[in-house]
Amino acid sequence: MSEDIDEPAVDAAGGPHDEADAGRGRGLNRRVVALAVAGAVGGFLFGFDSSVVNGAVDAIEQEFGLSAGLTGLAIASALLGCAVGAELAGRLADRFGRIPVMILGASLFLISAIGSGLALGVWDLIVWRVIGGIGIGIASVVSPAYIAEISPRRARGRLASLQQLAIVFGIFTALLSDAVFAWAAGGAAEPFWLGLDAWRWMFLAGIVPSVAYGLIAFSLPESPRFLMRVEKEDEARAVLQRIQPGEVERAVRDIRNTMKADDEAKQTKGALRGPVFGLRGIVWIGILLSVFQQFVGINVIFYYSTTLWSAVGFDESNAFAISVFTSITNILVTFVAIALVDRVGRRPLLLVGSAGMAVSLATMALAFGNASGSGEDITLPGAWGPTALVAANLFVVFFGFSWGPLVWVLLGEIFPNRIRARALGLAAAAQWIANFVVTVTFPLLANTSLLLTYGMYATFAALSFFFVLAKIPETNGMSLEESDTLLPPRGSARRRATTGADATGS
């Protein structure tokens, strides 16, 4: 790392800039905060889409006479679209810019909300859900990339965590709106406004956040790093002057140096290609971060929680109340992450989170292992019910201040500038595919053995601890331009030494 990370830097005029103050919580540019909040609205769509189907599952199954397998496909189909959108997002963002791609994502989700609400059958519902998934996948990549690229280094962790905060608010809003529509209509399958069933209005409610995200995106400035890449330096300087006054010259110099190094590297190697199974090592780290985030089973809590708690003896109203309470818990602990990420660092929070998730998931496995009954008619006797409930919420707590927000923070930080959007897109696609696998397999695994299911999730949580310990670099306080130093290509130090020796004539 360069020395100016720990020392106050000076601007072009020789005066101290305000980044150190920002790092201590003073003088953080309000425009940067506003831009980060606006960019994070894409995360709200992400969370909303993830949970809006929760309240509509039974009504959809009844409406279209679906089998359990087809119901699962209808629920999880959006995740396949998300994987496609995430993979496309990086390429589109690098070609057209971050803002146009945000608008595209919002438009696709708008189309999906309308189509899903007016679906005539399960197959066109699946098509609309896939279209919406593509939009959400795009937003899941572009939003964290944009936030990372407009944020000062010392506040970037807090600002990038806004993505996860927006996601959990989206989850809560979806669950709440589902409950309101079901309550107002007397049931999710009952007619409501304009003669449409309440479950259809649950999907149509997505029109509001998609339009809001599109309008907000129109008002955002383009990423200065993208502008520099497409040779619009004057526009990049204007944006930097707004969001990082006093640091413009250094920021421009850092971006220009990184672009030069990236162009030189591109002549000998493809953007993402590398020696580790065809990809660069840092790309695999991003992919594995995404996979571990999903393989601990967090989305089982938000997709199937009401069904799960009903299955183990809680009545339907209590099961729904538990789900809402869990989503509120998720919101509160995200604030903890925002408060700690730039003070404690990324690695310590991830390690604590992994350990806590492993213990709480193992406790849930033990509790469900003591269930009586079979199939859908099972109960948790004695103290095992409250034990499972407490363990589930502790799992959400440990996930919520660590792996939930920090994976998005790291995915926005660890990749070199030139490959950031594409690498983040690949990592996010892996995350959506892993999410799909967990979502589709949970009903089958749960019917087989809840002990086995949660024991498997606990195992992945334990493995994630050792993965962080061995492979995850600490990025707290680094500039995005310094991300090339995290995992330098093999032999790069030797080449630099040789070049330096040649330059001095030794």
Side-chain angles (χ1 to χ4, degrees):
M1 297 184 188
S2 60
E3 295 179 357
D4 59 9
I5 291 177
D6 297 316
E7 298 175 4
V10 294
D11 61 21
H17 66 71
D18 64 356
E19 187 178 57
D21 286 342
R24 292 188 294 266
R26 305 193 305 271
L28 181 59
N29 192 324
R30 292 182 180 179
R31 290 174 180 168
V32 175
V33 176
L35 292 178
V37 170
V41 176
F44 184 92
L45 290 184
F46 180 163
F48 189 94
D49 184 72
S50 294
S51 292
V52 70
V53 72
N54 190 305
V57 173
D58 292 340
I60 291 172
E61 189 172 20
Q62 176 184 334
E63 174 80 12
F64 301 128
L66 306 181
S67 65
L70 198 51
T71 300
L73 179 61
I75 294 170
S77 58
L79 301 175
L80 294 179
C82 289
V84 173
E87 170 60 21
L88 291 175
R91 301 175 187 272
L92 294 174
D94 282 343
R95 181 171 181 179
F96 300 107
R98 281 47 170 162
I99 304 306
V101 178
M102 286 184 186
I103 295 170
L104 173 62
S107 300
L108 291 173
F109 188 70
L110 173 63
I111 293 170
S112 171
I114 296 172
S116 298
L118 302 178
L120 301 177
V122 65
W123 291 109
D124 69 310
L125 174 63
I126 289 173
V127 169
W128 298 122
R129 292 279 291 159
V130 170
I131 290 174
I134 294 173
I136 299 305
I138 287 173
S140 73
V141 171
V142 178
S143 291
Y146 180 80
I147 294 170
E149 291 179 349
I150 57 94
S151 300
R153 70 180 75 177
R154 293 190 184 278
R156 193 171 59 244
R158 282 172 286 163
L159 296 179
S161 297
L162 293 174
Q163 167 82 355
Q164 178 67 13
L165 184 62
I167 291 171
V168 297
F169 265 112
I171 291 171
F172 172 74
T173 302
L175 289 172
L176 186 61
S177 65
D178 284 358
V180 169
F181 283 121
W183 171 80
E190 298 300 320
F192 195 44
W193 293 328
L194 303 179
L196 297 175
D197 291 347
W199 71 266
R200 296 181 180 275
W201 284 104
M202 294 176 186
F203 287 114
L204 290 170
I207 293 173
V208 176
S210 61
V211 170
Y213 183 46
L215 293 176
I216 288 171
F218 270 112
S219 69
L220 296 176
E222 185 54 84
S223 162
R225 288 174 174 80
F226 172 78
L227 292 172
M228 290 283 289
R229 171 60 60 184
V230 296
E231 300 181 351
K232 295 183 178 180
E233 185 172 321
D234 289 342
E235 294 182 34
R237 286 177 176 274
V239 175
L240 288 168
Q241 184 60 42
R242 288 175 57 189
I243 64 178
Q244 298 183 40
E247 303 176 47
V248 174
E249 292 304 321
R250 188 177 70 167
V252 169
R253 182 175 65 252
D254 287 346
I255 295 172
R256 189 182 291 126
N257 289 340
T258 304
M259 289 169 53
K260 181 179 178 181
D262 287 340
D263 289 339
E264 292 173 352
K266 191 174 182 181
Q267 296 175 7
T268 58
K269 184 177 291 187
L272 302 182
R273 294 179 61 188
V276 185
F277 298 105
L279 294 174
R280 298 171 64 168
I282 196 69
V283 178
W284 278 115
I285 286 178
I287 290 173
L288 289 173
L289 270 172
S290 292
V291 170
F292 273 119
Q293 188 199 51
Q294 295 302 313
F295 275 12
V296 297
I298 186 61
N299 280 313
V300 166
I301 300 294
F302 296 112
Y303 293 167
Y304 295 106
S305 57
T306 302
T307 302
L308 175 65
W309 296 121
S310 296
V312 295
F314 293 90
D315 63 45
E316 185 176 1
S317 60
N318 285 335
F320 186 81
I322 292 169
S323 298
V324 173
F325 175 78
T326 301
S327 70
I328 294 174
T329 301
N330 201 17
I331 292 173
L332 294 177
V333 294
T334 302
F335 283 107
V336 175
I338 293 173
L340 295 179
V341 63
D342 288 320
R343 297 179 181 178
V344 176
R346 283 61 160 160
R347 275 171 52 89
L349 290 178
L350 287 175
L351 291 170
V352 172
S354 293
M357 289 190 300
V359 172
S360 56
L361 285 167
T363 302
M364 290 181 70
L366 184 61
F368 289 132
N370 283 275
S372 59
S374 61
E376 296 183 358
D377 185 23
I378 63 175
T379 58
L380 292 177
W384 289 115
T387 298
L389 182 58
V390 171
N393 280 280
L394 284 176
F395 167 52
V396 172
V397 167
F398 283 109
F399 179 89
F401 73 72
S402 61
W403 281 82
L406 294 190
V407 167
W408 293 109
V409 172
L410 285 166
L411 291 181
E413 292 179 332
I414 62 176
F415 301 122
N417 280 331
R418 182 174 56 82
I419 69 168
R420 179 172 300 113
R422 292 185 61 191
L424 207 162
L426 187 60
Q431 185 173 133
W432 288 115
I433 292 171
N435 190 344
F436 176 81
V437 170
V438 171
T439 303
V440 169
T441 59
F442 176 75
L444 177 62
L445 291 171
N447 286 335
T448 302
S449 170
L450 284 171
L451 169 62
L452 171 66
T453 303
Y454 281 93
M456 183 179 64
Y457 298 152
T459 300
F460 279 112
L463 290 174
S464 73
F465 178 92
F466 296 103
F467 172 67
V468 172
L469 203 62
K471 295 295 184 180
I472 301 302
E474 180 57 72
T475 57
N476 192 19
M478 293 183 66
S479 72
L480 293 184
E481 279 64 48
E482 291 166 326
S483 59
D484 280 324
T485 66
L486 294 176
L487 284 179
R490 185 176 298 175
S492 59
R494 184 183 305 166
R495 287 194 295 272
R496 285 195 300 270
T498 302
T499 301
D502 291 343
T504 58
S506 56

